[in-house]
Amino acid sequence: MATSTGRIILGIETSCDETSAAVVRDGREVLSNVIHSQIDLHQRYGGVVPELASRRHITTIIPAIDLALEQAGVTRDDIDAIAVTEGPGLAGSLLVGVNVAKTLALTWGLPLVPVNHLEGHIYANWLSLPGEEPVPPPEFPLVCLVVSGGHTELVFMRGHGEYELLGRTIDDAAGEAFDKGARILGLGYPGGPAIQRAAEKGRLGRFTFPRAWLGDSYDFSFSGLKTALLREVEKYRRPGPRKRRQKGDQPFLTHEPPEYAPNMPVNDLAADYQDAIVDVLAEKTIRAARETGAAAVLLAGGVAANTLLRRRLTGALDIPVRYPPPILCTDNAAMIAGAAYYVQRRGVKAGLDLDAHPQLPLVTATAFPDD
């Protein structure tokens, strides 16, 4: 049984294709973090199918919550609040988590704390995993690069809850660029890890891919890069008809990678494609850190696990560059419970009319002094 000291929050995360429940103490200490991945469900389609994702959430969310409580060594009587992702994300997926959280808050008589998914990613940098020494909190002000499957945003953070959006993607997010690039190359899903593995075996500099710098803007654009990769890869497409679908296949879902000549340099293409994405992400983040006088740089989101991006930033900056361990980079409920601690301290709470907000922006909130 966990000690009763500290504020213990149960977090629920169902914004996309991970079903997760976690227990976190005082916004810092992860007591448990259960994640049910759906990669096996969506792999054959080359991306997340929203309807399938929400159905899987329904069957896995309660077992995930039960296991999170068990692993944390707590009961419902030890929980001080219920936190849930209200957005952004897939509408159907978000609704599963929101409705379960509202039910628990009502039946257990606990406060309900709504959390922005992007804010959750940011606050993953405050967490320490079970058995680890607590990480020191990042020093403000800081620049945070949020790079996930559906979001790429560069944020200046003066304090807890004080966000200034410096730039964002005007088309594809970096994670989408990795996923689509991996699909073009026939590397599978999820794309980020697949391209990184291929790039590690590739030769850098064989292909020249564009960088959309967009002048002095901190905004990002990756659609042109994706098109450039597709045009390069088309040179290696084998002529002839496509493979026939098997009886029972659903044409609008089934992912059939095109057939390419065996001499297509997949690893070299992956290396230069990854370099083009990371180059823009790193350069804009470095410039933002220097121009804002940031005391630290944070990475957040699934792409924060990319080793090349981490190396580029740490090698170029003389201020701390912080990023969560890989398990806390992808979607998880520990980051939601962790962020909820700070959200609740700002006086934010929700009623039983809480709804899902698929397009929820990261907005500036009222700050509060540190203890």
Side-chain angles (χ1 to χ4, degrees), residues 44 242-256 259:
R44 64 175 298 209
R242 297 288 303 277
K243 181 178 65 176
R244 287 187 177 182
R245 301 182 188 275
Q246 300 298 313
K247 184 177 180 181
D249 279 351
Q250 302 179 55
F252 67 95
L253 290 179
T254 303
H255 167 50
E256 293 180 0
E259 295 185 3

Side-chain angles (χ1 to χ4, degrees), residues 197-215:
R197 287 192 297 269
E200 289 170 352
K201 298 178 286 187
R203 180 179 57 178
L204 193 63
R206 182 171 177 180
F207 300 93
T208 302
F209 288 121
R211 275 81 162 155
W213 295 112
L214 305 179

Side-chain angles (χ1 to χ4, degrees), residues 97-118:
V98 167
N99 286 328
V100 169
K102 288 195 294 186
T103 301
L104 291 179
L106 175 63
T107 57
W108 292 1
L110 293 174
L112 179 62
V113 186
V115 176
N116 186 298
H117 180 76
L118 302 182

Side-chain angles (χ1 to χ4, degrees), residues 265-351:
V266 173
N267 295 335
D268 295 346
L269 285 162
D272 283 317
Y273 184 74
Q274 175 184 247
D275 189 68
I277 295 174
V278 169
D279 199 16
V280 176
L281 291 174
E283 287 303 314
K284 287 180 180 273
T285 303
I286 292 166
R287 179 162 61 89
R290 290 170 176 165
E291 292 182 354
T292 61
V297 166
L298 304 186
L299 291 178
V303 182
N306 184 276
T307 55
L308 179 61
L309 177 60
R310 293 177 173 188
R311 288 202 305 267
R312 289 277 179 90
L313 291 173
T314 55
L317 291 168
D318 56 4
I319 58 176
V321 177
R322 298 277 295 269
Y323 41 80
I327 193 64
L328 296 178
C329 288
T330 53
D331 294 349
N332 66 91
M335 70 184 195
I336 301 303
Y341 174 80
Y342 299 93
V343 171
Q344 193 174 29
R345 286 179 62 188
R346 300 198 299 259
V348 177
K349 61 181 179 179

